[in-house]
Amino acid sequence: MGAAKAKVIPETNKQIGFVPLFRPEEGETIVKPEGEGEGYWVGAPSVAFDTQAEAFYLSYRVRRPRPERGVETRIACSQDGVHFDDVWSLHKSELNSDSIERCALKRGLDGVWRLYISYVDPADSRWRTDVIESDSPTTFAAKDRRKVFVAADINAEGVKDPIVYTLGHRYYMILSYAPTPKAEVDGERMHGTADIYNTGVTKSHTGLAVSSDGVHFDWQGDIMSPTEEGWDSYAARVSTIVYNPPVFTVFYDGSQDVSENYEERTGLAISKDLREVKSLTPDGPILVSPHNTGSLRYLDALPFADKIHYYYEYVRADGSHELRLNVVNR
């Protein structure tokens, strides 16, 4: 995976606030999709650096066209953050699920590795989020998963795509959630396809949960909602955060309507406390692919030494999605 050393974009590249941006078309391909065309997607990355092993670990998702959908989440290992080899995988059949979405890989304050997985709950066809604990990213076991949130816990119709950060002695989990529509909607219309986000009956919001142990989280509520109109009026899903005290620079996935579900593009926002996120890009996305739908989504930023590693899902000319990396100077 990945044929060449990642390019470091010059420091003269565009910078917003404390965070340098990058040119997506100059990124390196880290993982290629399994096939060509719409529905063959690989991406939704979550990256962590293990200081003990001096290795990068990457969680990513493999998707195929319907009816298969999100079939597998994998973890890969790298010594340089560029060339990865798979070391673990989880197939959706082990969860008895219709699909797996973005997962979050995190080593806790207690040294325990945790994989926060989002997938379609076989009990009610709504997205849910669980956690699996292990001593190593190579030994997670699906049978050991524990519930973090099901949709009913937050009075919503789905909760997925976790990202997890630690500040001080607390864990902050940011999730995409689908509020229950204000107007009455038939349950089959909402959940008959096992993907509420692709129905158009509700929207994709972002919420916050906090924890003292990385396992038991308290839901705090909405921190970012879609706009009333504009390019991000259907989805406003926070994808990654870079913290330069006292400012949180936030990247988020946006879409205008349900037709752009799965093809979101990346906007920029800011927060001072993670309780409220304000968009800085109301007129359009700040990062896009030059191909096809322009989709560039599920960005994950890993500050490392004097650089930032940006991993992201990127649409190709044929409509498939690949996993890319750009490395920029901080």
Side-chain angles (χ1 to χ4, degrees), residues 66-260:
R66 288 178 180 269
E68 292 191 75
R69 300 177 59 190
V71 296
E72 194 173 17
T73 187
R74 298 175 182 170
I75 295 176
C77 183
S78 170
Q79 296 302 310
D80 61 6
V82 181
H83 306 93
F84 285 88
D85 294 309
D86 292 337
V87 294
W88 181 88
S89 66
L90 171 67
H91 194 274
K92 69 175 185 177
S93 61
E94 297 179 68
L95 306 171
N96 191 28
S97 177
D98 284 289
S99 187
I100 299 174
E101 271 280 8
R102 189 187 206 183
C103 301
L105 181 63
K106 182 73 175 178
R107 189 167 196 171
L109 298 171
D110 52 5
V112 176
W113 281 96
R114 295 184 176 91
L115 184 66
Y116 301 89
I117 59 174
S118 62
Y119 62 101
V120 175
D121 193 337
D124 61 7
S125 295
R126 305 182 191 192
W127 292 103
R128 66 178 286 163
T129 300
D130 289 1
V131 62
I132 310 173
E133 296 181 298
S134 179
D135 294 331
S136 167
T138 65
T139 57
F140 290 114
K143 64 179 179 60
D144 296 331
R145 65 189 183 277
R146 301 165 66 179
K147 183 189 79 166
V148 177
F149 290 115
V150 296
D153 292 336
I154 62 169
N155 298 314
E157 301 303 324
V159 57
K160 68 181 184 77
D161 296 332
I163 54 175
V164 180
Y165 300 93
T166 53
L167 289 172
H169 299 287
R170 307 194 82 186
Y171 296 79
Y172 293 77
M173 177 184 286
I174 296 171
L175 298 133
S176 168
Y177 78 98
T180 299
K182 293 180 180 180
E184 186 173 346
V185 179
D186 178 76
E188 178 64 20
R189 184 182 172 192
M190 285 197 292
H191 303 295
T193 62
D195 188 2
I196 181 69
Y197 293 89
N198 200 37
T199 63
V201 301
T202 185
K203 297 184 178 183
S204 176
H205 293 235
T206 297
L208 172 70
V210 297
S211 170
S212 60
D213 62 7
V215 177
H216 306 92
F217 284 83
D218 294 319
W219 181 251
Q220 303 295 296
D222 192 281
I223 62 171
M224 189 177 196
S225 299
T227 56
E228 290 298 320
E229 57 182 24
W231 77 274
D232 53 0
S233 57
Y234 186 73
R237 176 179 65 202
V238 170
S239 61
T240 195
I241 294 170
V242 179
Y243 184 41
N244 287 292
V247 175
F248 297 92
T249 300
V250 179
F251 293 90
Y252 70 99
D253 295 338
S255 63
Q256 186 168 11
D257 55 47
V258 68
S259 71
E260 295 180 346

